[in-house]
Amino acid sequence: MAQRTMRRSQAERDAVTVEIGYAFVSACFAAALVFGAVFGPALALDLSGAVERRFAVAGGTLAAAVFLLRVAHVLWRFGRRPGSGRTPHGGT
């Protein structure tokens, strides 16, 4: 059972690097927006410390979920694009 791997060109490697960078930056931006939307009202209103901490935890949890989903979505979409990369082929 021989398995061959196909080497990627420099342009393909650069495209993957750019896509990973885009996924990370856009996910950070989306997570910051979600955190701000959830935790922002806690800063604007005069809330007790315990309630403010709950808003911070909820905002952080949602921001982390949005971050992971955004990265996964961008990279999944990139991997499904025609010509986005090569997959290893078997020897037959």
Side-chain angles (χ1 to χ4, degrees):
M1 195 183 320
Q3 183 178 6
R4 297 179 299 161
T5 59
M6 300 178 76
R7 297 184 62 107
R8 293 178 186 231
S9 69
Q10 184 63 42
E12 289 171 330
R13 290 192 306 258
D14 289 345
V16 170
T17 302
V18 168
E19 200 67 22
I20 291 169
Y22 169 72
F24 181 76
V25 170
S26 68
C28 285
F29 183 73
L33 284 178
V34 168
F35 182 79
V38 173
F39 188 62
L43 294 176
L45 303 172
D46 188 25
L47 301 173
S48 69
V51 173
E52 194 170 300
R53 278 191 297 276
R54 286 184 182 174
F55 272 93
V57 169
T61 303
L62 288 174
V66 166
F67 178 86
L68 293 174
L69 288 172
R70 178 66 184 161
V71 168
H73 173 74
V74 170
L75 295 179
W76 182 274
R77 189 185 65 206
F78 177 74
R80 295 193 60 172
R81 230 183 324 188
S84 65
R86 297 179 184 168
T87 57
H89 296 287
T92 57

